[in-house]
Amino acid sequence: MSSCPTSPSTATSVSGRSSSPSHERGYAPLRQISGQAVGGLVLTPHAAAGDLWLPDGSRTRLSETVISAGNLIRLRPAPAATAVSAPVWDRQARLLGDRGQETLARLRVALVGLGGVGSVVVEGLARLGVGELVLMDSEPV
Protein backbone atom coordinates (compact mmCIF):
# COMPACT_ATOMS: atom_id res chain seq x y z
CA MET A 1 0.00 0.00 0.00
CA SER A 2 1.39 3.41 -0.85
CA SER A 3 0.43 7.03 -0.54
CA CYS A 4 2.03 10.21 -1.76
CA PRO A 5 0.59 13.67 -2.36
CA THR A 6 2.64 14.28 -5.52
CA SER A 7 2.47 11.10 -7.53
CA PRO A 8 0.66 7.76 -7.33
CA SER A 9 3.80 6.05 -8.63
CA THR A 10 5.80 7.09 -5.56
CA ALA A 11 5.85 4.25 -3.04
CA THR A 12 6.78 4.18 0.60
CA SER A 13 7.09 1.02 2.66
CA VAL A 14 5.31 0.77 5.99
CA SER A 15 8.66 0.96 7.77
CA GLY A 16 8.87 4.59 6.61
CA ARG A 17 11.93 4.13 4.40
CA SER A 18 11.66 5.68 0.98
CA SER A 19 11.56 3.06 -1.76
CA SER A 20 11.62 5.62 -4.55
CA PRO A 21 14.13 8.41 -5.34
CA SER A 22 11.19 10.60 -6.37
CA HIS A 23 10.58 11.30 -2.68
CA GLU A 24 13.87 13.13 -2.46
CA ARG A 25 13.25 14.96 -5.75
CA GLY A 26 9.56 15.70 -5.22
CA TYR A 27 9.32 17.07 -1.71
CA ALA A 28 12.10 19.67 -1.92
CA PRO A 29 10.28 21.75 -4.58
CA LEU A 30 6.97 21.43 -2.73
CA ARG A 31 8.64 22.69 0.43
CA GLN A 32 10.19 25.63 -1.43
CA ILE A 33 6.91 26.55 -3.16
CA SER A 34 4.77 26.37 -0.04
CA GLY A 35 7.34 27.56 2.50
CA GLN A 36 5.77 25.04 4.88
CA ALA A 37 6.43 21.50 5.98
CA VAL A 38 5.32 18.85 3.47
CA GLY A 39 5.11 15.13 3.93
CA GLY A 40 3.93 11.72 2.91
CA LEU A 41 1.90 9.23 4.91
CA VAL A 42 1.24 5.53 4.39
CA LEU A 43 -1.77 4.10 6.22
CA THR A 44 -2.70 0.49 6.88
CA PRO A 45 -5.49 -0.71 9.16
CA HIS A 46 -3.07 -1.17 12.08
CA ALA A 47 -0.03 1.00 11.34
CA ALA A 48 1.03 4.28 9.76
CA ALA A 49 4.41 5.59 8.67
CA GLY A 50 5.52 8.83 7.13
CA ASP A 51 8.09 11.55 6.72
CA LEU A 52 7.97 15.33 7.06
CA TRP A 53 10.27 17.63 5.12
CA LEU A 54 10.59 20.81 7.19
CA PRO A 55 11.08 24.35 5.82
CA ASP A 56 14.71 24.37 7.02
CA GLY A 57 15.47 21.40 4.73
CA SER A 58 15.63 18.75 7.43
CA ARG A 59 13.61 15.55 7.30
CA THR A 60 11.96 13.76 10.21
CA ARG A 61 10.02 10.52 10.53
CA LEU A 62 6.57 10.51 12.10
CA SER A 63 6.48 8.53 15.32
CA GLU A 64 2.68 8.49 15.65
CA THR A 65 -0.41 9.39 13.61
CA VAL A 66 -3.58 10.28 15.54
CA ILE A 67 -6.93 9.99 13.79
CA SER A 68 -9.83 11.61 15.63
CA ALA A 69 -13.02 10.04 14.35
CA GLY A 70 -15.33 9.21 17.25
CA ASN A 71 -12.67 7.45 19.29
CA LEU A 72 -9.03 8.47 18.94
CA ILE A 73 -7.03 6.01 16.86
CA ARG A 74 -3.26 6.05 17.35
CA LEU A 75 -1.18 4.44 14.63
CA ARG A 76 2.58 3.94 14.71
CA PRO A 77 5.08 2.60 12.14
CA ALA A 78 4.95 -0.73 13.99
CA PRO A 79 2.14 -1.85 16.26
CA ALA A 80 2.84 -0.90 19.87
CA ALA A 81 4.11 -3.65 22.10
CA THR A 82 1.50 -4.82 24.52
CA ALA A 83 2.01 -5.83 28.09
CA VAL A 84 1.31 -9.43 28.94
CA SER A 85 -1.96 -9.79 30.82
CA ALA A 86 -1.90 -10.49 34.52
CA PRO A 87 -2.29 -14.17 35.46
CA VAL A 88 -5.72 -13.48 36.93
CA TRP A 89 -6.98 -12.72 33.38
CA ASP A 90 -5.15 -15.66 31.75
CA ARG A 91 -8.20 -17.66 30.61
CA GLN A 92 -9.97 -14.82 28.87
CA ALA A 93 -6.70 -13.38 27.52
CA ARG A 94 -6.27 -16.69 25.71
CA LEU A 95 -9.59 -16.03 23.99
CA LEU A 96 -9.38 -12.24 23.57
CA GLY A 97 -5.61 -11.86 23.35
CA ASP A 98 -3.50 -9.44 25.40
CA ARG A 99 -4.75 -6.50 23.32
CA GLY A 100 -8.35 -7.48 23.93
CA GLN A 101 -7.71 -7.64 27.66
CA GLU A 102 -5.96 -4.27 27.50
CA THR A 103 -9.01 -2.82 25.74
CA LEU A 104 -11.30 -4.12 28.50
CA ALA A 105 -9.05 -2.54 31.13
CA ARG A 106 -9.39 0.87 29.40
CA LEU A 107 -13.20 0.74 29.17
CA ARG A 108 -15.59 2.78 31.29
CA VAL A 109 -19.02 1.14 31.50
CA ALA A 110 -22.11 2.69 33.08
CA LEU A 111 -24.85 0.44 34.40
CA VAL A 112 -28.27 1.77 35.40
CA GLY A 113 -30.21 -0.45 37.77
CA LEU A 114 -28.48 -2.86 40.09
CA GLY A 115 -31.42 -5.15 40.83
CA GLY A 116 -31.53 -8.83 39.92
CA VAL A 117 -30.06 -8.63 36.42
CA GLY A 118 -27.93 -5.52 37.00
CA SER A 119 -26.08 -7.05 39.93
CA VAL A 120 -25.20 -10.16 37.87
CA VAL A 121 -24.06 -8.00 34.94
CA VAL A 122 -21.87 -5.78 37.11
CA GLU A 123 -20.24 -8.85 38.65
CA GLY A 124 -19.53 -10.25 35.18
CA LEU A 125 -18.03 -6.94 34.00
CA ALA A 126 -15.81 -6.77 37.08
CA ARG A 127 -14.64 -10.35 36.55
CA LEU A 128 -13.84 -9.53 32.91
CA GLY A 129 -11.50 -6.78 34.08
CA VAL A 130 -13.42 -3.73 32.86
CA GLY A 131 -11.36 -0.75 34.01
CA GLU A 132 -14.05 1.54 35.43
CA LEU A 133 -17.64 0.84 36.39
CA VAL A 134 -20.14 3.67 36.89
CA LEU A 135 -23.06 2.25 38.85
CA MET A 136 -26.43 3.98 39.19
CA ASP A 137 -29.50 2.87 41.10
CA SER A 138 -32.42 4.60 42.76
CA GLU A 139 -31.78 2.62 45.96
CA PRO A 140 -28.69 3.16 48.15
CA VAL A 141 -26.08 0.62 47.10
Side-chain angles (χ1 to χ4, degrees):
M1 178 174 259
S2 66
S3 173
C4 176
T6 59
S7 165
S9 65
T10 303
T12 301
S13 68
V14 175
S15 69
R17 293 189 182 140
S18 177
S19 61
S20 173
S22 65
H23 274 203
E24 300 302 325
R25 291 190 314 268
Y27 287 112
L30 281 174
R31 190 184 64 245
Q32 289 171 351
I33 291 168
S34 68
Q36 298 179 4
V38 296
L41 183 64
V42 177
L43 294 170
T44 70
H46 303 288
D51 293 312
L52 285 177
W53 283 262
L54 303 173
D56 67 2
S58 64
R59 177 178 172 185
T60 185
R61 295 200 192 288
L62 296 177
S63 60
E64 180 177 72
T65 302
V66 179
I67 301 169
S68 59
N71 292 329
L72 285 180
I73 300 170
R74 296 179 182 276
L75 299 174
R76 295 175 183 87
T82 59
V84 176
S85 296
V88 70
W89 312 120
D90 180 60
R91 285 188 176 188
Q92 66 204 37
R94 290 178 190 209
L95 176 65
L96 304 172
D98 288 332
R99 285 194 178 156
Q101 191 61 47
E102 237 180 83
T103 301
L104 284 173
R106 288 192 313 260
L107 287 178
R108 177 190 297 179
V109 177
L111 190 63
V112 179
L114 300 174
V117 174
S119 62
V120 173
V121 170
V122 80
E123 180 183 356
L125 291 171
R127 289 179 184 268
L128 278 172
V130 170
E132 187 176 344
L133 296 170
V134 178
L135 308 176
M136 296 172 263
D137 197 275
S138 60
E139 299 290 321
V141 179

